[in-house]
Amino acid sequence: MIEIALKALFILIYATFVGFMFMGIIRIVTARIHRRVGPPIYQPILDTIKLLSKKSNITHGLIYDFGVIYALGATILAIMFIPLGNIGVLRAYGDLVLITFLLEIPMLGIMFAAMSSGNPYAGIGAQRALLTLLAIQVPLGFAIVALAEYYGTFSTYEIVMAQQSMGWSITALPLLFAAIAYDLVLQAMFGKEPFDIMIAPGEISLGPMVEFGGKHMGILQIQHAIALFGETLFFSNIFLGGAAITIFGSSILNTIATLVVLLIKQTAVLLVATFMGAIFPRFTIDQAARFYWKWPTIIAALGAILASL
Amino acid sequence: MNELAIIIFAPLLAGALAWLIEVKGIRELIGVTGAALPLGFSLLLYQKTTEGINLALNIGVFNLTFALNHLNWFFIGIGTLVGFASILALVSTAKDSYEWLFALMSLTGVLGVFLANDMMTFFIFWEIMTFASFMMVLRYNRSASLKYFLLSVFGAYAMLIALGIIYAKLGTFDFGTIQQAMYQEAYASAFGAETLLSKNESALIYLLFLIAFGVKAGMFPLHVWAPDAYGETNQSYTAMFSGVLSKAGVYGFILLYVLMGTRLALEFGAFRSTTKFGYIIAFLGGLTIIVGGLLAALQEDIRKLFAYSSISQLGYILVGIGVGTALSIQAAMFHALSHALFKGLFFLIVATIVYRTGKTTFADMGGLAEKMPFTFAMAFIAILSLAGIPPLVGFASKWVLFEAVISQNLPILGGMVFFGSAIGFVYLIRFVYAVWFGQRPTDLDETKDAPLPMAIAMVILALFNVILGIAPGLVAKELNKIFGKEVIGGDLFILDLGFGKYNALAVTIYLVVGIIIAGIIYFLGAKVRKVPVTDTYQSANPVTMEYNLTIRRNFFLPLKETLAFWLRISFDRLYRTIGTWVEDLAEVMRTYIYNGNTQSYAWYLAILLLILALWGV
């Protein structure tokens, strides 16, 4: 019992820390692409500390507070189910469909909180967020279907184990298609250009985030960091082979090696998204829907059909 | 007196009494008792499901036979529970005893359908159910009720023809005998021996049943009656109308499998890992999910939104039934239960809103969460359940369904059900935003919270949503009994399908822990100051209540524009056009045949005589 609690605590702290580093990496890499120096890598942590220590906070009612708390709580829930190498709390229950859902539900909390503020920018942002969610769900669904059909199991951990012996998922043609579609979907899940329609800085004043300040925004920063970690980790697990290193004699060394390998893979996923985000301008929402319902859907459906043959 | 008779006829009797007595107070008491009795007796009968109970009533030429087994006990459970909640809410919203009579009569109808043990009983109670629900809609809107009635009659007579064919060939209405005969037929045809029903005839029976049950279940493209009929009636009643009466269609499809599944499977062959006839049901179910969901997102009326949402959710059930493995049918039945629970709850919430505000369109509402906190809390549970958020019952059932479909290597259906889960999210948030949050129109400032009977009814359904969500094993155990083997493994909190596991308890615990951690971070920060809704960012401009800051109309306009091409295709319009054609044809017949000219009538006689002469009479 205590061991499980300690493991869960470790996952939580590690995810938060790495997530913040990822946010820093995104900022540095984007700056370097623009030939700027950019902030130090720990800048998002400083930002969050600043936000959390604001002396004056506002609220628009109970749901405004609860939505934010729920968003962070649900994100913490989500990362517990994703296998992190051999440190698993609930990896036996890390079901593909469950994790896919769990990665989406924090959005419900943010929506609730944003909408209860009654701000029209939040309303329009929520509308865009929901339509983005609707648009990505088709290729995302097909990608998950392709994975489940190829491996014949829904357990993420078993998929990781299968990849240890059969090679990474992306080396199989049907799953390569699924991975391409999923990577395009990730762009919207991270909220990076060209699909950052929901936040859209400069266009609709941050959309759902417009009314948040102080500790509400701080909690959402933490939520964003953990979500970033969870999404990259999930992608690395299902498409890039995850990691389960057992070459060292000591289990601690093995664990560290696993985390390092996973970290490299996660960073790779993140960098691809950052590179794409830095050079593409934003889509409008109907363009995004048409895009996702066309190419990624076709690619992912092809993958799913090939996987089921 | 047999217990089954009480379950079936108590509501009808109570309805008739309530109608006759017409004293306020006593009428409600009798009505609620009429719905409580079946609930109580179905609980009592739970122990007796294993040995089964029979009841036969001799009415004129027909023998009405009823039987209780595991399968229909499950549906009876759904029916009596949601029926009771709905009738309880009717105490607040019923306008007169007319509604008591027909609401309770339709409960009798649907319970009779579930308990029927032969085709004729099934049909008779099916008609009682249709008639009573038609009368409920007729009270509120004539054209909606006529549309519902026409399509229902179309479905019912399709069923009657199918019954006629079965009776003509097999000479029986009894379920058990039909099942056996069909089973023998299936193998006879597989080995090339003589069969009573030809291939075309069994295809025809299948098609007729598809229409009959499809209409009731709101299957695409026979769904057009549902938005109007669900919308234009007493919303407390709709909780039962959508929650229970639509399950009659679902039950019909399961019956189709029970009676002639083997026969149809062998006759028409397999499609991938499922049967061809099943795949048709599943594919139509998938289209129902998408069409229902997209149309729900584009509605401007709260009742219409939930009507389309109901159609969309029934699509899931049809997909599960269509795929046709033991697991997927269990998943479909599980979703039938959770659909009844959360959709019943939703319509009670809608009933409360309509009852307290008198308004139905999104444009007139907003900011009600502060005025009706209890109803909002119930809506919160219902939303989480319908959108499929763990750990509520809506997620557990959807999860089993997803895995059941995908594990059968059916990628297109898999994509369809995934799309359905996102669209559910989309239209619910629209409901949340327009009704509960944002600015409140000043005429809603005096709104009160739910009246007591409705509050109790909502709490009952909400509790089941939560309890069965955290302990989905309760339902899985019951469903396993129907199939007589362990299809869904696991224990009280864990569902184990072999290739996937879902631990509802772990989800609950970690969600609570996560929320506590987030709460600690929140409460460590400085105190919050409450600000009014107008104290908000509007590009740094001052705002007053005169400005409308909440988007209440056409919330999903970009979606509408993206789908413009598809939205031009409307089955509602198609049926209307066909209706107009038939009316025109009748008009033409009237003017040309009954033309008032004596000579033409003489000519008809001459032509008739000529025909008879040619016939050689």
Side-chain angles (χ1 to χ4, degrees):
Chain A
M1 193 66 203
I2 293 171
E3 197 194 332
I4 293 175
L6 281 178
K7 272 186 181 170
L9 193 65
F10 170 77
I11 294 178
L12 179 59
I13 292 169
Y14 179 74
T16 317
F17 180 72
V18 175
F20 275 120
M21 289 299 123
F22 281 172
M23 284 163 77
I25 290 173
I26 292 177
R27 292 184 67 172
I28 292 184
V29 172
T30 315
R32 295 292 152 90
I33 292 172
H34 297 161
R35 291 177 186 259
R36 289 184 282 116
V37 179
I41 192 166
Y42 50 82
Q43 183 64 35
I45 299 182
L46 300 182
D47 289 349
T48 308
I49 292 172
K50 181 204 74 178
L51 284 167
L52 287 174
S53 48
K54 287 266 182 191
K55 285 222 178 70
S56 135
N57 295 300
I58 60 138
T59 176
H60 283 279
L62 194 64
I63 295 296
Y64 185 78
D65 303 328
F66 180 73
V68 170
I69 295 173
Y70 178 82
L72 179 53
T75 318
I76 293 172
L77 169 70
I79 53 161
M80 292 302 163
F81 282 89
I82 309 173
L84 179 66
N86 34 21
I87 319 162
V89 184
L90 292 167
R91 69 179 173 208
Y93 303 105
D95 187 274
L96 278 180
V97 179
L98 178 69
I99 296 174
T100 314
F101 265 74
L102 288 179
L103 287 174
E104 277 166 12
I105 61 169
M107 180 124 113
L108 190 77
I110 302 176
M111 297 285 102
F112 265 61
M115 287 175 151
S116 73
S117 75
N119 189 297
Y121 288 111
I124 200 90
Q127 178 230 59
R128 290 163 166 226
L130 287 169
L131 293 183
T132 314
L133 179 80
L134 186 64
I136 63 173
Q137 200 73 15
V138 186
L140 178 66
F142 278 122
I144 297 295
V145 169
L147 270 169
E149 289 181 345
Y150 188 82
Y151 288 107
T153 175
F154 285 86
S155 157
T156 316
Y157 189 64
E158 278 173 33
I159 289 177
V160 171
M161 283 306 154
Q163 289 177 72
Q164 298 290 321
S165 54
M166 293 158 67
W168 293 7
S169 292
I170 51 169
T171 53
L173 186 69
L175 295 186
L176 179 64
F177 285 141
I180 292 169
Y182 201 104
D183 196 59
L184 290 169
V185 165
L186 269 187
Q187 207 73 10
M189 283 167 98
F190 290 155
K192 300 295 295 172
E193 293 92 343
F195 301 109
D196 64 338
I197 311 156
M198 141 187 188
I199 313 278
E203 190 182 341
I204 51 163
S205 318
L206 285 182
M209 312 293 175
V210 61
E211 272 290 288
F212 297 121
K215 60 180 179 182
H216 295 85
M217 196 64 194
I219 291 174
L220 286 182
Q221 288 278 333
I222 301 173
Q223 187 270 333
H224 184 63
I226 301 179
L228 210 54
F229 177 83
E231 280 151 11
T232 49
L233 180 64
F234 187 50
F235 188 88
S236 315
N237 267 327
I238 55 179
F239 289 115
L240 303 180
I245 306 245
T246 46
I247 46 169
F248 299 107
S250 140
S251 68
I252 295 174
L253 275 180
N254 277 333
T255 308
I256 293 171
T258 309
L259 290 183
V260 170
V261 171
L262 271 176
L263 199 59
I264 294 168
K265 288 176 180 172
Q266 284 174 271
T267 317
V269 176
L270 192 74
L271 285 180
V272 171
T274 315
F275 292 155
M276 271 203 271
I279 56 166
F280 283 107
R282 185 179 309 132
F283 276 12
T284 64
I285 183 67
D286 54 324
Q287 285 169 340
R290 287 208 186 94
F291 172 80
Y292 274 121
W293 287 343
K294 202 189 261 170
W295 298 114
T297 301
I298 293 172
I299 295 171
L302 201 62
I305 290 168
L306 284 179
S308 72
L309 290 179
Chain B
M1 196 67 179
N2 195 305
E3 290 96 328
L4 292 186
I6 297 175
I7 291 185
I8 297 166
F9 295 108
L12 184 63
L13 203 63
L17 278 177
W19 184 61
L20 286 173
I21 291 176
E22 268 214 280
V23 181
K24 209 166 166 44
I26 300 177
R27 181 177 73 193
E28 277 79 6
L29 193 70
I30 295 174
V32 172
T33 318
L37 275 178
L39 179 64
F41 273 98
S42 58
L43 285 177
L44 281 181
L45 286 187
Y46 176 65
Q47 271 96 25
K48 295 195 184 169
T49 44
T50 322
E51 69 256 40
I53 299 184
N54 290 298
L55 170 69
L57 296 173
N58 199 334
I59 298 179
V61 275
F62 298 121
N63 239 345
L64 298 184
T65 56
F66 303 95
L68 182 79
N69 51 42
H70 284 299
L71 173 70
N72 56 23
W73 186 83
F74 186 76
F75 280 94
I76 286 289
I78 298 176
T80 49
L81 177 65
V82 179
F84 175 69
S86 156
I87 294 291
L88 196 57
L90 212 58
V91 171
S92 308
T93 60
K95 280 191 280 191
D96 49 22
S97 42
Y98 173 99
E99 293 188 25
W100 283 100
L101 172 64
F102 289 111
L104 285 162
M105 188 196 271
S106 63
L107 188 59
T108 286
V110 76
L111 295 179
V113 166
F114 290 153
L115 282 173
N117 197 35
D118 68 89
M119 281 317 250
M120 205 24 98
T121 315
F122 187 84
F123 181 74
I124 289 170
F125 280 90
W126 184 276
E127 287 296 82
I128 292 175
M129 169 181 88
T130 308
F131 170 70
S133 51
F134 159 72
M135 292 302 270
M136 285 301 283
V137 185
L138 182 67
R139 189 71 164 180
Y140 286 76
N141 186 315
R142 204 179 130 78
S143 92
S145 71
L146 285 179
K147 200 203 282 186
Y148 169 51
F149 192 65
L150 267 180
L151 274 159
S152 290
V153 163
F154 186 56
Y157 290 105
M159 174 154 53
L160 196 61
I161 296 170
L163 293 197
I165 299 174
I166 291 178
Y167 190 73
K169 295 288 177 181
L170 305 179
T172 178
F173 285 129
D174 185 61
F175 282 159
T177 326
I178 295 175
Q179 189 186 358
Q180 244 172 9
M182 287 287 185
Y183 200 68
Q184 283 162 0
E185 289 262 293
Y187 284 98
S189 74
F191 293 118
E194 279 285 302
T195 54
L196 291 170
L197 285 163
S198 69
K199 185 169 176 169
N200 287 338
E201 277 165 341
S202 45
L204 182 66
I205 293 177
Y206 165 65
L207 190 73
L208 290 170
F209 275 134
L210 190 69
I211 293 171
F213 303 139
V215 168
K216 221 15 143 221
M219 183 174 74
F220 176 85
L222 302 167
H223 63 279
V224 294
W225 61 271
D228 289 351
Y230 287 164
E232 300 287 341
T233 182
N234 188 327
Q235 293 300 301
S236 303
Y237 174 69
T238 311
M240 174 162 54
F241 198 175
S242 149
V244 186
L245 264 61
S246 62
K247 299 300 168 304
V250 173
Y251 182 70
F253 277 115
I254 292 175
L255 213 56
L256 181 70
Y257 266 93
V258 172
L259 292 184
M260 47 195 299
T262 328
R263 161 92 187 174
L264 290 171
L266 286 177
E267 193 89 49
F268 300 107
F271 177 81
R272 300 181 66 100
S273 51
T274 178
T275 53
K276 253 184 206 141
F277 82 96
Y279 196 83
I280 294 173
I281 299 176
F283 194 79
L284 288 174
L287 287 179
T288 312
I289 298 176
I290 295 173
V291 171
L294 287 174
L295 289 177
L298 300 175
Q299 297 306 309
E300 297 295 317
D301 184 306
I302 178 171
R303 300 167 303 173
K304 289 269 163 65
L305 185 148
F306 283 113
Y308 275 112
S309 141
S310 192
I311 298 172
S312 176
Q313 296 296 317
L314 274 158
Y316 280 106
I317 304 173
L318 295 182
V319 170
I321 292 176
V323 171
T325 58
L327 178 62
S328 79
I329 290 183
Q330 279 206 3
M333 287 166 69
F334 196 168
H335 199 68
L337 168 67
S338 52
H339 171 262
L341 288 176
F342 59 64
K343 209 24 88 62
L345 183 52
F346 259 126
F347 276 112
L348 293 184
I349 291 159
V350 174
T352 312
I353 295 170
V354 174
Y355 176 66
R356 281 304 191 198
T357 66
K359 298 180 160 70
T360 61
T361 51
F362 288 128
D364 300 330
M365 282 187 267
L368 280 175
E370 284 172 22
K371 289 287 163 189
M372 307 166 86
F374 173 78
T375 314
F376 176 70
M378 292 295 121
F380 190 67
I381 291 176
I383 288 160
L384 295 187
S385 194
L386 200 160
I389 307 292
L392 286 142
V393 72
F395 179 78
S397 61
K398 255 187 211 175
W399 177 82
V400 183
L401 192 80
F402 277 36
E403 312 242 315
V405 172
I406 297 169
S407 65
Q408 287 301 305
N409 277 343
L410 298 165
I412 301 295
L413 288 180
M416 281 171 158
V417 292
F418 257 98
F419 183 79
S421 77
I423 190 81
F425 220 78
V426 167
Y427 58 69
L428 284 178
I429 302 274
R430 197 267 192 261
F431 158 71
V432 172
Y433 181 59
V435 173
W436 301 105
F437 296 148
Q439 263 173 315
R440 187 172 48 250
T442 41
D443 55 339
L444 296 181
D445 277 344
E446 299 302 311
T447 312
K448 288 200 282 288
D449 212 331
L452 187 67
M454 301 186 95
I456 297 171
M458 285 193 271
V459 166
I460 294 173
L461 293 184
L463 270 181
F464 273 94
N465 268 301
V466 176
I467 293 170
L468 295 183
I470 295 173
L474 283 174
V475 187
K477 210 171 66 181
E478 219 34 64
L479 291 169
N480 283 337
K481 272 190 201 162
I482 295 172
F483 284 81
K485 61 181 178 192
E486 191 165 85
V487 181
I488 303 176
D491 55 23
L492 198 55
F493 303 111
I494 298 171
L495 298 180
D496 186 357
L497 307 182
F499 42 78
K501 271 190 213 162
Y502 168 59
N503 186 339
L505 189 64
V507 170
T508 317
I509 291 172
Y510 278 85
L511 183 64
V512 170
V513 170
I515 288 178
I516 289 172
I517 294 174
I520 290 171
I521 300 173
Y522 177 83
F523 285 111
L524 284 179
K527 271 225 168 72
V528 290
R529 176 170 55 89
K530 178 109 167 53
V531 295
V533 72
T534 46
D535 187 357
T536 192
Y537 173 79
Q538 178 54 36
S539 305
N541 287 315
V543 277
T544 60
M545 277 307 273
E546 272 91 76
Y547 293 89
N548 176 22
L549 297 179
T550 313
I551 310 162
R552 300 209 177 94
R553 287 197 185 83
N554 263 332
F555 190 67
F556 286 120
L557 194 60
L559 181 67
K560 207 178 196 167
E561 285 167 358
T562 315
L563 297 171
F565 172 77
W566 297 101
L567 291 175
R568 260 181 279 151
I569 306 165
S570 154
F571 274 89
D572 204 6
R573 205 161 49 230
L574 175 70
Y575 295 139
R576 277 185 199 289
T577 316
I578 293 175
T580 323
W581 284 346
V582 174
E583 276 178 19
D584 288 350
L585 185 69
E587 188 63 28
V588 168
M589 302 279 272
R590 201 177 64 79
T591 43
Y592 284 88
I593 296 179
Y594 300 103
N595 51 13
N597 185 344
T598 326
Q599 279 196 8
S600 46
Y601 295 133
W603 273 108
Y604 298 155
L605 199 61
I607 292 168
L608 185 70
L609 288 175
L610 187 66
I611 292 171
L612 287 177
L614 287 175
W615 219 334
V617 180

